Amino acid sequence: AFGLDTWETPDVIREQVEKILDAHPEDAAVILCDIKGGSVHNRLFDLCLRDQVSLVTGMNLALALELAVSWEGTKEEVKQTLELARENLAYFDCCSIQNTEEKEDGELW
């Protein structure tokens, strides 16, 4: 994991990521970025031109954990994991919570 709070610039992050990719040229890799169009994303974007590299933006913990636990190296699996992540996005506010039926034990879900 690389972050601007630890590394000096997006260029330094790119150098580190390139070293990893170059050390494992046959391995598939998924790069997760938080913000599409952010400085790190923009600096890493062209790495996905490498056949074995995929880049995903909008990274969150659930997505990262799902990939870490179940990904076996295919781009199709990355796409399926993204679909699961989308399905797990939810919005709640006072109105939606009041309209949610409570279970017998008082829990909302």
Side-chain angles (χ1 to χ4, degrees), residues 60 62-63 66 79-92:
N60 61 42
L63 173 65
E66 184 67 30
K79 293 175 186 176
Q80 290 172 352
T81 302
L82 283 174
E83 287 304 314
L84 287 173
R86 284 186 187 105
E87 291 173 13
N88 284 311
L89 291 174
Y91 172 80
F92 298 98

Side-chain angles (χ1 to χ4, degrees), residues 57-109:
T57 61
M59 188 276 302
N60 61 42
L61 182 59
L63 173 65
L65 288 174
E66 184 67 30
L67 286 171
V69 170
S70 66
W71 185 57
E72 294 182 13
T74 69
K75 291 181 181 184
E76 189 56 40
E77 287 175 294
V78 174
K79 293 175 186 176
Q80 290 172 352
T81 302
L82 283 174
E83 287 304 314
L84 287 173
R86 284 186 187 105
E87 291 173 13
N88 284 311
L89 291 174
Y91 172 80
F92 298 98
D93 65 10
C94 63
C95 296
S96 62
I97 291 174
Q98 290 172 357
N99 293 327
T100 302
E101 291 185 33
E102 290 189 14
K103 292 183 176 184
E104 290 178 19
D105 60 6
E107 292 184 25
L108 292 175
W109 46 82

Side-chain angles (χ1 to χ4, degrees), residues 14 33 35-46:
R14 182 189 171 96
C33 292
I35 300 171
K36 179 181 176 182
S39 59
V40 174
H41 166 263
N42 289 341
R43 200 59 192 102
L44 299 177
F45 183 74
D46 65 325

Side-chain angles (χ1 to χ4, degrees), residues 21-41:
L21 295 174
D22 291 343
H24 306 278
E26 300 301 319
D27 291 347
V30 178
I31 299 170
L32 301 177
C33 292
D34 56 352
I35 300 171
K36 179 181 176 182
S39 59
V40 174
H41 166 263

